[in-house]
């Protein structure tokens, strides 16, 4: 069964089927919400990644200008770009998440407020 055949938000779960073909597997669809409830997990993986990304972004932005991570974060390669759809970048994803959460450019300067706004521990 291909991934396109199952509804979005469901993971396949294989159970052995007893019939004349013992190698066949029956696919039972379990929604992500059910898996999160069983695992007692409150946040989705996407939310967790966004939170960690914003935490790292604030950490790097508070660094002095001469630090390598800050220089690399603001570095942009030169040369010709390929003629295809541009890849999604880490900086673009940070900008999108900041816009979705209504963050301004200088919000990362106050570490405690940034951590509370992002959703981390103060």
């Amino acid at each position: 069964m291909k991934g396109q055949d199952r509804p979005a938000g469901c993971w396949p779960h294989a159970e052995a089927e007893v019939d004349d073909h013992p190698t066949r597997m029956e696919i039972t669809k379990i929604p992500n919400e059910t898996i999160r409830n069983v695992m007692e997990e409150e946040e989705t993986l996407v939310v967790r990644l966004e939170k960690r990304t914003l935490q790292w972004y604030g950490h790097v932005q508070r660094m002095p200008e001469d630090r390598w991570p800050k220089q690399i974060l603001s570095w942009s390669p030169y040369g010709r770009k390929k003629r295809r759809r541009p890849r999604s970048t880490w900086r673009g994803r940070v900008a999108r998440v900041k816009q979705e959460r209504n963050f301004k450019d200088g919000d990362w300067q106050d570490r405690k407020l940034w951590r509370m706004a992002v959703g981390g521990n103060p």
Side-chain angles (χ1 to χ4, degrees), residues 42-74:
E42 295 178 7
E43 61 186 10
T44 64
L45 183 61
V46 172
V47 170
R48 185 180 295 178
L49 289 174
E50 286 177 353
K51 183 170 71 171
R52 296 285 174 101
T53 299
L54 288 174
Q55 286 175 351
W56 177 251
Y57 174 76
H59 174 69
V60 172
Q61 288 295 76
R62 286 187 295 274
M63 288 181 179
E65 294 294 326
D66 61 339
R67 295 283 309 272
W68 276 90
K70 186 147 188 181
Q71 292 175 7
I72 290 170
L73 183 63
S74 62

Side-chain angles (χ1 to χ4, degrees), residues 12-26:
H13 175 68
E15 293 180 357
E17 182 179 291
V18 179
D19 65 351
D20 56 339
H21 294 68
T23 58
R24 283 189 184 175
M25 301 296 270
E26 180 183 317

Side-chain angles (χ1 to χ4, degrees), residues 88-97:
S88 64
T89 62
W90 189 84
R91 280 187 281 182
R93 195 166 49 247
V94 168
R96 180 184 51 81
V97 173

